[in-house]
Amino acid sequence: MAENKPKVATACMCGCSGCHMSFLDVDEFVKDLAELVEFQSSHVIMDVKEIEKVDIGIMEGTITNDENVEVAKKMRENCDILVAWGDCACFGGIMTMRNFEKVDKILEECYLEKSDEESVVPDDELIPTLTDKAKGLDEIIDVDVYIPGCPPSADVIRYGLEKLLEGEIPKLDKDKLRY
Amino acid sequence: MNTVNFNVDGQDISAKKGMTVMEACEEHGITIPKLCQHEALENVMACRLCSVEVNGKQILPSCGLQVDDGLKIQTQTDHLKKYRRKILELIYRSENHYCMFCESDGDCELQDLMYEHEIDRFEFPRMYPEWPVDSSHDYIIKDSNRCIRCGRCVRACDEVVGNHTLSLGGRGINNRIIVDAGVPLGESTCTSCGMCLQVCPTGAIFSKLSMFKGVKKECDMTTTTCLSCSMGCGTNVYTKTGHIVEIEGADIHKESGGQLCEFGRFKPLANKGERIKNVILREDGEEKELSLSEGLEKASEMLVKSYRISAYASGDLTCEDLDAFAYAMRAHGALFDVVGAKRHRFETEVKRRINMIEGHFVTDIREIMKADNILLYDTSIYHTHPILASYIRRATSNGTKLITIDAYEDKFWNHSDKSITIESPKTQLTRLVNQVIKEGKASIEDLSRVSSILGGLRVHPKDVMEIVNLLEEATYDIIIIGDEIIDRWSLRHIFELAKLEGSYVISLNHAGNQYIKNLETEGVYEEPEVAYILAGDEEDQADMKELIEKADFSIVQSARRSELTEMADLVIPSLTMFEREGTTIDINGVKNKVERITEPKGGIRSEIGFFEELAKMR
Ligand code: SF4
Ligand code: SF4
Ligand code: SF4
Ligand code: FES
């Protein structure tokens, strides 16, 4: 009964898409999954930008700009269970290495000091503004499921999804947990 | 009563008095999480992760708590687990841990514990402190970003290495590991032993030569014996797909605390000399490559037609290698010698002359740590026998007096109570000491007068008296003679002194394998027709070079290209330390196994087989 399938949305904030790549590594399970759930939006498999009401919302990446904040909040509002995929979403991950410097200083260094003469610090209003610190998801919204890993292995991603589909909130034990 | 009875998690257990609760639990298969505790080191109770519930009220660290009758211990309550999770998270968030690109990812005790405690989210914000990375050392990187300040490295450098290079500096959240008085590690008093990185539970200190080569947990590990010096340290060698990832000290429960030195831990991995794959023949100004069997032919041809043949082997080979080489060389009528054997022959000769019994020789070098006094001739052992040097340093930290006698700068300068600098031979100084001991203190007056008449004698009577006094007031003194002392008279006077004073002696030579003491060796022809040098891994032995220079034709068998192989007429491939197999004898006379760690990568598989062939071709 197609209409009873749980709906899933996935989104990528400031991440490398590695978690989504790792998700695609579940191989033939994608096929099973396509029968078990309905994807509402997911940038790696479909071209839908708007997040609508879903049962499971999955997020990869760190919160580093105001667009990330907006997307995260929208996802939280629209899903019942929010899953953080990967170290970035769970803890902040590698992006937090920018937290050692002030944002202005970083932009200056990247676009002026370490660039050619014509380079300027981008300030187009279409470009999202960086937050003062790079943050893990749960510093902005509530997270229900944590699947850390950089990236989490396909097995762990699959385990998490299977548990969710069985109606449980997965928690990784010491054999599955990796940073 | 020497045992006590108490209860852990509802289970009655008994343990030896004096043990810690942690040790007793481990003995009974109950594991308690820990970070700062290390079996080779004193407990300092720095991390509190091992805390247990005692008698239902207190929470105390089990690594520092002594067992006692009637104790009721809980190790796994929910409260404790929560408490431990908090500690782990606080440790993690206080520094900058990025497991995804950390060298220790997969081999990290902090990470293991975080997994074990199922930490998949953080309660506290992270701090992002700014810490430096020190990569000034040739082999070691010290990254304060991963340092949890457990102090293991500090204790290892103090208690095991006796070097006191590292310490904790700064207060509160600025507390961190500093080197000497705050200098880069590469410019410090560090002896490059690598003990600190062996005990570091995290990625805060690691080896440049092993980094990112593989996770130790996923490697094969073989325990073998280092052939580089006569200490014969046990080593654990980690390999992955036939390559060495890392070398660690194995004898963790022995006094050595699992130490290795630069030669055992780093040098074998740093050795970048090109491997010799083919036989090289240099004839009439031309260089030709030959096959191994052609090389064998050429070598035997030269040996067969010559009369004065000098065969000289490295002392860092196995007993079996030395036997095979000696046999082949003797079959061709060569005179045979091994690095370090000459010194041993002198020693034997002097011992016989003065009737010195074996009882004077220390049979276990760890005795050093029990001596009241150490009289050390030749401080270059600081670099040639670093583990023995560590025992001397440890002894001095515990109050042992150290007098050093050297022609050059005292390498133990910050450990010795007195440094005497006197040019070789040391014989006069020792002779004077002997005289004074025999004839009484008044004789020093005469002696100094006599010596000033003789002229050229730069022994200070005060030095003589200081040695005499020290030896006379001590009950257990050890005289250590480094391998640079090779003149018979110095040896003779030192041995006589030991006899007179009832001192014990440790006498060192250049050979890694003390099997040279069982082998029959003799001085070789100084200007031979053919010099056959089995260098193995050895690269720049001055006496090997000298022999090549004076020979009409020289054969060098070596694992890698080196100055030696550039000088030789015929170069034959050899094996490295980790490709050899057999046994070796250490300074205590103990025979240890040498395992083959990697398959031979040079141009020879069986060196012993090669010598068996060569022996037949005469
Ligand atoms: S030291 Fe351990 S916990 Fe810290 S980043 Fe490295 S692997 Fe992770
Ligand atoms: S460097 Fe390693 S051993 Fe030393 S205090 Fe830091 S974590 Fe502990
Ligand atoms: S390498 Fe050895 S001597 Fe150097 S700091 Fe580490 S433990 Fe101390
Ligand atoms: S292991 Fe006991 S306090 Fe650190």
Side-chain angles (χ1 to χ4, degrees):
Chain A
M1 288 204 293
E3 57 274 22
N4 279 351
K5 279 189 194 175
K7 284 190 182 161
V8 176
T10 80
C12 189
M13 295 176 295
C14 191
C16 65
S17 275
C19 298
H20 277 82
M21 292 300 171
S22 197
F23 159 59
L24 294 179
D25 270 350
V26 297
D27 299 334
E28 79 289 345
F29 179 65
V30 174
K31 211 175 108 257
D32 301 342
L33 206 59
E35 316 224 313
L36 295 169
V37 305
E38 183 190 324
F39 281 98
Q40 187 274 318
S41 67
S42 180
H43 74 294
V44 288
I45 47 177
M46 58 209 292
D47 189 17
V48 177
K49 301 262 173 347
E50 267 314 299
I51 297 169
E52 285 160 18
K53 201 86 196 137
V54 292
D55 299 285
I56 300 167
I58 298 173
M59 303 205 81
E60 171 198 323
T62 312
I63 307 256
T64 62
N65 60 38
D66 51 7
E67 189 215 1
N68 298 152
V69 176
E70 200 183 307
V71 173
K73 286 188 174 154
K74 186 165 274 168
M75 182 71 98
R76 180 70 277 183
E77 278 163 23
N78 282 297
C79 72
D80 293 337
I81 297 170
L82 195 131
V83 183
W85 261 358
D87 279 7
C88 293
C90 294
F91 316 120
I94 201 161
M95 304 303 163
T96 60
M97 286 200 79
R98 82 154 159 92
N99 293 353
F100 294 97
E101 254 327 329
K102 289 213 165 60
V103 172
D104 295 349
K105 182 82 208 11
I106 296 171
L107 290 174
E108 228 167 76
E109 200 172 320
C110 292
Y111 289 97
L112 303 178
E113 287 166 29
K114 290 182 178 158
S115 206
D116 57 34
E117 280 163 21
E118 279 118 79
S119 175
V120 289
V121 177
D123 63 349
D124 194 302
E125 59 178 20
L126 287 176
I127 299 173
T129 317
L130 293 179
T131 50
D132 61 337
K133 291 256 183 268
K135 288 171 185 163
L137 255 189
D138 64 3
E139 292 181 57
I140 301 285
I141 54 168
D142 287 340
V143 173
D144 305 305
V145 178
Y146 292 81
I147 311 281
C150 191
S153 69
D155 287 346
V156 165
I157 287 187
R158 177 176 175 160
Y159 167 85
L161 291 170
E162 279 174 344
K163 282 281 152 206
L164 282 168
L165 294 178
E166 283 164 25
E168 281 177 48
I169 293 289
K171 171 129 177 74
L172 302 187
D173 65 13
K174 67 172 196 283
D175 298 323
K176 297 200 178 59
L177 198 56
R178 291 292 173 270
Y179 300 143
Chain B
M1 275 302 280
N2 266 332
T3 54
V4 295
N5 299 304
F6 61 109
N7 188 290
V8 179
D9 298 337
Q11 178 188 343
D12 287 325
I13 67 176
S14 48
K16 267 212 281 321
K17 222 183 195 143
M19 268 185 145
T20 64
V21 169
M22 180 185 278
E23 285 163 347
C25 284
E26 275 173 5
E27 219 178 64
H28 288 81
I30 304 164
T31 30
I32 301 173
K34 59 186 183 189
L35 265 178
C36 67
Q37 193 271 354
H38 188 281
E39 52 193 327
L41 309 172
E42 293 286 327
N43 295 325
V44 290
M45 293 157 276
C47 74
R48 307 265 145 173
L49 205 68
C50 67
S51 293
V52 292
E53 229 173 75
V54 184
N55 298 334
K57 18 184 219 282
Q58 270 171 304
I59 289 187
L60 293 171
S62 62
C63 70
L65 181 65
Q66 302 239 321
V67 291
D68 204 356
D69 272 317
L71 282 181
K72 279 202 174 30
I73 307 283
Q74 290 291 336
T75 70
Q76 302 295 341
T77 63
D78 285 346
H79 180 62
L80 281 173
K81 282 186 197 160
K82 219 163 104 193
Y83 178 77
R84 288 177 191 146
R85 269 201 291 273
K86 281 226 163 88
I87 293 177
L88 286 168
E89 199 194 316
L90 286 173
I91 290 176
Y92 195 90
R93 65 126 223 177
S94 310
E95 315 303 337
N96 302 310
H97 292 274
Y98 288 91
C99 297
M100 67 289 277
F101 65 86
C102 176
E103 201 284 324
S104 285
D105 184 19
D107 274 328
C108 171
E109 292 177 44
L110 173 61
Q111 194 188 51
D112 286 347
L113 285 164
M114 307 262 299
Y115 292 157
E116 205 179 298
H117 289 79
E118 298 181 351
I119 296 176
D120 62 358
R121 67 200 75 184
F122 288 151
E123 252 182 82
F124 308 105
R126 287 174 73 170
M127 306 211 345
Y128 309 106
E130 278 193 57
W131 291 127
V133 178
D134 178 351
S135 60
S136 59
H137 194 281
D138 282 349
Y139 310 123
I140 302 169
I141 293 183
K142 188 176 154 294
D143 183 354
S144 301
N145 291 287
R146 314 277 190 267
C147 173
I148 61 170
R149 290 164 286 180
C150 64
R152 280 192 194 174
C153 55
V154 177
R155 279 173 284 151
C157 194
D158 282 2
E159 296 165 18
V160 179
V161 193
N163 216 43
H164 317 285
T165 299
L166 305 174
S167 44
L168 283 159
R171 288 172 152 262
I173 55 165
N174 291 322
N175 174 256
R176 65 187 163 122
I177 304 302
I178 56 166
V179 183
D180 289 337
V183 300
L185 193 60
E187 293 161 27
S188 70
T189 55
C190 168
T191 65
S192 305
C193 70
M195 190 63 201
C196 48
L197 63 92
Q198 178 165 326
V199 298
C200 179
T202 68
I205 309 189
F206 55 94
S207 160
K208 289 184 182 174
L209 301 169
S210 299
M211 61 182 182
F212 303 110
K213 280 194 182 167
V215 173
K216 272 189 297 196
K217 274 189 208 136
E218 294 164 4
C219 288
D220 294 320
M221 195 269 279
T222 317
T223 303
T224 182
T225 312
C226 176
L227 283 165
S228 299
C229 90
S230 54
M231 297 301 116
C233 298
T235 57
N236 288 339
V237 186
Y238 294 86
T239 52
K240 199 169 182 181
T241 56
H243 294 274
I244 300 175
V245 168
E246 189 153 7
I247 306 169
E248 286 193 338
D251 303 326
I252 198 154
H253 300 290
K254 297 198 188 155
E255 293 285 351
S256 86
Q259 253 195 105
L260 287 181
C261 72
E262 183 180 355
F263 303 106
R265 191 189 307 271
F266 297 122
K267 277 268 154 80
L269 298 178
N271 202 336
K272 292 277 159 38
E274 187 194 328
R275 288 301 299 267
I276 292 171
K277 304 257 186 192
N278 290 305
V279 172
I280 302 163
L281 177 64
R282 297 192 180 98
E283 226 170 23
D284 313 321
E286 270 183 50
E287 198 174 296
K288 264 193 292 190
E289 287 203 348
L290 305 181
S291 69
L292 192 62
S293 55
E294 286 166 339
L296 183 66
E297 290 283 339
K298 182 69 192 173
S300 75
E301 177 201 318
M302 293 311 294
L303 293 173
V304 167
K305 73 175 183 204
S306 308
Y307 292 97
R308 288 192 335 276
I309 305 168
S310 295
Y312 194 40
S314 152
D316 303 350
L317 307 170
T318 65
C319 304
E320 295 73 14
D321 297 332
L322 287 170
D323 276 339
F325 183 57
Y327 182 78
M329 291 298 112
R330 289 250 153 75
H332 286 278
L335 291 184
F336 173 71
D337 208 352
V338 186
V339 171
K342 181 171 164 193
R343 159 67 182 278
H344 178 68
R345 290 196 297 274
F346 284 174
E347 211 175 282
T348 318
E349 185 190 312
V350 171
K351 269 172 9 193
R352 199 178 49 239
R353 248 171 231 261
I354 66 166
N355 257 327
M356 177 132 158
I357 52 160
E358 284 304 320
H360 270 290
F361 288 84
V362 173
T363 51
D364 185 343
I365 55 146
R366 288 168 289 180
E367 287 289 308
I368 290 172
M369 290 184 284
K370 299 184 197 146
D372 298 321
N373 286 320
I374 297 168
L375 186 57
L376 169 64
Y377 286 87
D378 170 20
T379 63
S380 71
I381 67 152
Y382 198 92
H383 298 300
T384 58
H385 293 75
I387 303 294
L388 190 132
S390 80
Y391 292 157
I392 297 178
R393 290 191 299 261
R394 280 163 73 174
T396 61
S397 313
N398 288 334
T400 300
K401 288 233 155 49
L402 172 67
I403 297 189
T404 64
I405 301 163
D406 205 303
Y408 308 100
E409 171 209 15
D410 177 8
K411 307 205 172 50
F412 286 82
W413 62 272
N414 51 358
H415 298 271
S416 39
D417 297 275
K418 179 159 182 71
S419 316
I420 300 173
T421 312
I422 174 169
E423 267 173 41
S424 245
K426 322 269 179 292
T427 172
Q428 282 122 329
L429 171 71
T430 319
R431 200 180 46 142
L432 291 178
V433 172
N434 290 350
Q435 291 272 10
V436 175
I437 292 173
K438 269 194 250 172
E439 292 166 20
K441 292 180 185 172
S443 71
I444 189 82
E445 300 283 318
D446 305 343
L447 280 168
S448 53
R449 205 174 314 126
V450 173
S451 51
S452 60
I453 295 167
L454 285 174
L457 182 64
R458 264 154 298 161
V459 179
H460 206 293
K462 215 175 98 230
D463 290 346
V464 176
M465 286 317 298
E466 230 168 297
I467 299 179
V468 172
N469 289 340
L470 202 75
L471 292 178
E472 296 210 317
E473 75 200 21
T475 51
Y476 186 15
D477 35 47
I478 294 182
I479 301 179
I480 302 174
I481 316 167
D483 47 17
E484 301 269 287
I485 297 189
I486 37 167
D487 70 290
R488 287 186 183 76
W489 278 106
S490 290
L491 280 176
R492 176 165 182 161
H493 286 121
I494 299 168
F495 283 3
E496 272 175 349
L497 174 61
K499 257 186 90 173
L500 261 177
E501 264 307 300
S503 310
Y504 287 85
V505 175
I506 294 174
S507 177
L508 302 166
N509 59 53
H510 271 310
N513 187 349
Q514 294 298 300
Y515 185 52
I516 56 154
K517 294 178 180 166
N518 310 11
L519 272 176
E520 217 168 291
T521 57
E522 55 257 332
V524 290
Y525 300 111
E526 278 178 24
E527 293 178 7
E529 286 168 68
V530 175
Y532 197 135
I533 292 173
L534 176 56
D537 245 349
E538 235 164 317
E539 289 184 336
D540 43 21
Q541 276 287 337
D543 45 359
M544 288 182 177
K545 281 184 200 158
E546 212 178 296
L547 198 55
I548 298 176
E549 267 163 13
K550 290 189 179 156
D552 299 336
F553 187 87
S554 57
I555 307 172
V556 169
Q557 194 152 348
S558 170
R560 297 173 198 278
R561 277 186 184 266
S562 68
E563 279 181 46
L564 285 180
T565 62
E566 292 312 297
M567 293 164 75
D569 299 304
L570 182 66
V571 181
I572 298 171
S574 181
L575 302 172
T576 65
M577 171 158 94
F578 294 114
E579 294 166 356
R580 299 186 178 278
E581 193 168 25
T583 53
T584 178
I585 295 176
D586 69 16
I587 190 168
N588 299 329
V590 179
K591 197 174 224 177
N592 294 305
K593 272 203 86 167
V594 177
E595 303 283 353
R596 173 169 282 179
I597 305 293
T598 50
E599 286 306 307
K601 294 190 182 82
I604 196 165
R605 282 202 65 79
S606 166
E607 201 171 60
I608 293 178
F610 182 87
F611 291 130
E612 280 168 356
E613 284 301 308
L614 190 60
K616 284 187 222 148
M617 297 164 74
R618 53 189 154 128

